[in-house]
Amino acid sequence: MSSSKSIIHEIDRLKLVYKRHGGKQSRDKNVLIWYEFGEFCAKSGCPHLAEVGKRHVKAYLESKDLAPSTKYTYRLALEALFKAADLLPPPYLKTIHHTKPPRAEQRRRKTLRSWLKEAANDPIFSAEGSEPLPPDPPPHPWQY
């Protein structure tokens, strides 16, 4: 009897348990991704969720032209699907990372403390530095 159920029926069953707790909007989006993935797998000839592998996940993500951050969102949704089904996700999902610039390259906002430290070392702002300000550089020819 369970062999006649398709992957969409399995997703229907998992959706009921998954949507009970947590943020409703994000879970609704995840379930929509589940259904798209289920339809894609059904068209590919994969009848059950337990038979889904790397080939199906990779083909599904490559069939969509997604930005890296959106691809990461899809990865999290598919991992939630496999977790709800009590299955191990294909290892390919772990290769999709959130693309964020490294910490050193991110623009760091200066705090008041860092401004005060710089001002204390700057002769212009310090009480000890009594030198006049240097003259402004001459304007460039293309500036008016």
Side-chain angles (χ1 to χ4, degrees):
M1 183 173 182
S2 65
S3 62
S4 65
K5 291 185 178 181
S6 70
I7 194 168
I8 300 296
H9 290 101
E10 292 179 46
I11 291 174
D12 280 334
R13 182 181 50 82
L14 295 171
K15 172 188 75 166
L16 297 175
V17 176
Y18 178 72
K19 287 183 69 174
R20 278 190 201 149
H21 303 288
K24 301 301 182 215
Q25 287 183 342
S26 66
R27 289 183 182 253
D28 286 341
K29 289 177 186 175
N30 284 354
V31 168
L32 288 176
I33 293 171
W34 290 7
Y35 277 116
E36 286 178 10
F37 181 67
E39 290 172 4
F40 180 84
C41 289
K43 287 178 185 174
S44 313
C46 184
H48 301 291
L49 197 54
E51 297 176 11
V52 172
K54 170 188 170 183
R55 180 174 53 96
H56 299 98
V57 173
K58 192 172 184 178
Y60 172 69
L61 292 175
E62 288 177 356
S63 70
K64 300 183 154 300
D65 189 27
L66 301 173
S69 59
T70 309
K71 192 179 269 191
Y72 182 74
T73 304
Y74 274 61
R75 169 201 165 179
L76 295 178
L78 293 177
E79 282 182 348
L81 171 64
F82 285 106
K83 184 177 179 182
D86 202 24
L87 297 170
L88 287 174
Y92 172 73
L93 282 178
K94 295 292 183 190
T95 63
I96 301 168
H97 300 290
H98 186 72
T99 55
K100 194 174 185 183
R103 185 84 174 152
E105 293 178 14
Q106 291 179 0
R107 183 175 230 178
R108 190 175 69 90
R109 290 181 57 189
K110 291 192 174 190
T111 61
L112 179 61
R113 178 176 286 168
S114 66
W115 280 107
L116 290 175
K117 281 183 181 178
E118 287 180 14
N121 296 331
D122 194 348
I124 295 174
F125 293 112
S126 67
E128 299 168 5
S130 59
E131 300 172 2
L133 291 174
D136 291 330
H140 292 287
W142 60 83
Q143 291 180 344
Y144 296 106

